[in-house]
Amino acid sequence: MPTPGKLYLVHTARRDRAFDKDDLRYFRVRIHLDADDATMLDEVSEVTYYLHETFKEPIRVVRDRQNSFEGRTTVWVKFNVAITVRLKDGRELKL
């Protein structure tokens, strides 16, 4: 099976004042996979998101293809995300 074309990690952030505490401004963050060709996502079996260790669940495994392997969280500060994409043929891609 060929390696998929380009896969992308996409995120959006939306301000949510309902979570604000003291001087901290909170945002709802959505992270998901996208691809040059949407059918490439059909070759993905799961995505593991590695968030900062201070998150309640810093390692999150998502297997829901229908939602583009979406992960959601609420944050008050910038953070880096690393991901591992596991393909149905057993290969892994690091993004």
Side-chain angles (χ1 to χ4, degrees):
M1 180 178 302
T3 301
K6 292 184 180 180
L7 291 172
Y8 303 95
L9 178 62
V10 179
H11 76 279
T12 58
R14 183 177 54 84
R15 180 90 163 83
D16 191 337
R17 288 179 172 82
F19 290 96
D20 287 357
K21 295 177 187 170
D22 302 319
D23 292 330
L24 302 177
R25 295 173 41 166
Y26 277 77
F27 295 81
R28 289 182 184 261
V29 176
R30 176 183 181 253
I31 307 166
H32 68 280
L33 277 187
D34 200 356
D36 287 338
D37 177 355
T39 61
M40 291 188 306
L41 296 179
D42 295 334
E43 300 304 318
V44 175
S45 63
E46 68 182 33
V47 175
T48 303
Y49 293 98
Y50 301 93
L51 308 177
H52 191 271
E53 64 189 26
T54 57
F55 278 82
K56 185 175 182 179
E57 295 177 51
I59 299 174
R60 302 177 187 191
V61 179
V62 180
R63 295 180 182 91
D64 186 359
R65 163 64 179 96
Q66 294 302 316
N67 287 321
S68 301
F69 303 95
E70 176 184 284
R72 291 180 181 245
T73 192
T74 304
V75 302
W76 59 269
V77 67
K78 295 178 186 178
F79 65 98
N80 293 324
V81 177
I83 70 170
T84 299
V85 177
R86 287 182 184 79
L87 302 177
K88 290 178 179 176
D89 67 7
R91 290 179 292 155
E92 292 185 352
L93 305 172
K94 307 283 185 184
L95 299 179

